[in-house]
Structures are given as structure tokens and as C-alpha cells.
Amino acid sequence: MALVFPKTDLIQGLKLRDGWIMPQWRQERSTTAGGQSILKDMGPMLWAAFYETTAMARDDAIDVETDLMTLQGGINLFEGYDPRRALPKSDDQSVLDGVTVNAIRSDRLALRLAGLPAGFEVSKSDYLSINDGLNLHLLRAATGAVASSTGLSAWFEVRGALRAGVAVGQPVKLRYPCARFMIEKDSISRQRVSEMNDAISFSAVQVIL
């Protein structure tokens, strides 16, 4: 059977002891002769991810190593999410299919969603992933919002900013919302937990094509 990339089931197939996604700001700071600090954005924010499995039988750990080997370092990508908030805080049961971007504010730091269940609440710190056909744009809600009886959310702020590829009508994923990642060089590590059990950890950075 041929392997398919980006690999979509890598993280869901792991039993995690720890894991997170955090913003990686691409900024440079310089200081003038007078002591004034100048901050310059070198590009849009990217997400950085870290995952660590629970202790597992050594044979199972070797299987995880093999799955990671198929990524060939940073050549092949995988889809990753933040296990701390993989599902919406207010509703971890609804399927939430058919959600789309309804409107984008001019500064591209806020949006409205359509296709939500009536009364659905987008909570602060919920994630959403927007598919533009080429990239998965992972965003975190900075404010909350409630959907109307027609499934249209109120405006809510997000971070990072909505990139130029994000447009009205594109599909939105609220359950296990993902970005696409590449493994960081030399980050895969195996820890011996006991005589017969190991744990695997690795880190990754978001890729935008």
C-alpha cells in the first residue's frame, strides 16, 4: 500500500503525555544609537509544535519511529493539532460539517463563520483551520462569539492574522483543526522509561506553500 502525504493520522494515532502548539513570531529587533528599540516583522507568524508520547512497549515505540521515518526528515509533511484544545470548548460532540468563512474584517484579524449549529459558541482559545485548497491556515480565537438561529457567528478576533489566501466561502474545521508541519531537524528522541518501555518525542514547524 502506498503512503499518502501529508500524513493525516500521525497525531491522532499517538497516546500523548504532553503536546502543544505555540506561535513562532518571525520578528527581528534592533536598537538605535539613542537606545530606541525597533521591531520588524520578517513574515507572518508560523506555528511550532511539540509532541511527547506516553510510555509504550518497545515494539510499539519502534513502530512510531518508523512512522516518523516515512516523513524523511522535513521532506514529507504531516497534519498536527494542539491536543490541549483539539475540540471546541463549548461542544465536543457536534459534527460541525459544512462550516465556512462568511466574512473577513478589513484588517484580517477577525471573521464571521456560517453553517454553525444555532446557538453554537466559539470560545476564546478555540482553534479553527481554514482550507484554501493549498494550505491549512490554523488560527486561534482571541475572543468568543455565539451563532445566531441561522448559524451565522458574531464577529470574533483571531490570531495569527488571516493570510492573503484565506477567502470567504472556504471550508472551516473546528474539530481537530490542523496545520501542516515538517519535523524539525534532529528533534526525534527516544527516552527509555523502563526495561521494556520507551517514549518518543519530536518537534515540528508549520509549512505554508
Side-chain angles (χ1 to χ4, degrees), residues 70-91:
T70 67
L71 299 174
Q72 295 179 258
I75 292 177
N76 294 319
L77 306 182
F78 71 94
E79 294 183 2
Y81 57 87
D82 192 332
R84 300 173 303 172
R85 186 70 68 86
L87 300 168
K89 182 179 180 180
S90 70
D91 182 351

Side-chain angles (χ1 to χ4, degrees), residues 26-208:
R26 300 162 65 195
Q27 298 174 339
E28 283 190 359
R29 184 175 66 86
S30 59
T31 306
T32 67
Q36 179 186 6
S37 291
I38 300 173
L39 195 67
K40 181 176 177 59
D41 272 321
M42 305 305 293
M45 183 203 84
L46 295 173
W47 293 102
F50 172 79
Y51 299 102
E52 182 181 0
T53 71
T54 58
M56 66 185 83
R58 188 147 297 155
D59 279 347
D60 294 334
I62 292 173
D63 287 345
V64 172
E65 286 181 351
T66 301
D67 287 338
L68 294 172
M69 280 183 63
T70 67
L71 299 174
Q72 295 179 258
I75 292 177
N76 294 319
L77 306 182
F78 71 94
E79 294 183 2
Y81 57 87
D82 192 332
R84 300 173 303 172
R85 186 70 68 86
L87 300 168
K89 182 179 180 180
S90 70
D91 182 351
D92 62 0
Q93 299 298 319
S94 296
V95 177
L96 300 174
D97 286 341
V99 180
T100 60
V101 178
N102 172 265
I104 298 171
R105 203 170 67 189
S106 59
D107 64 1
R108 304 190 74 80
L109 292 174
L111 75 166
R112 300 180 78 178
L113 301 180
L116 294 166
F120 178 87
E121 181 181 358
V122 177
S123 301
K124 180 180 177 180
S125 301
D126 281 353
Y127 286 94
L128 57 149
S129 181
I130 302 173
N131 189 335
D132 71 1
L134 181 63
N135 293 295
L136 296 181
H137 301 271
L138 184 65
L139 303 163
R140 189 186 291 175
T143 59
V146 177
S148 68
S149 60
T150 62
L152 179 64
S153 79
W155 287 96
F156 62 98
E157 296 234 357
V158 294
R159 295 297 187 275
L162 292 146
R163 294 171 183 259
V166 178
V168 169
Q170 290 174 347
V172 178
K173 187 175 183 180
L174 295 168
R175 293 175 59 86
Y176 302 101
C178 295
R180 291 190 177 123
F181 290 93
M182 62 181 289
I183 292 283
E184 290 271 37
K185 185 177 183 293
D186 300 327
S187 72
I188 300 172
S189 176
R190 179 177 63 88
Q191 299 86 41
R192 180 173 177 172
V193 179
S194 66
E195 184 176 348
M196 297 300 296
N197 292 276
D198 295 337
I200 306 291
S201 64
F202 58 97
S203 56
V205 64
Q206 184 185 9
V207 172
I208 295 290

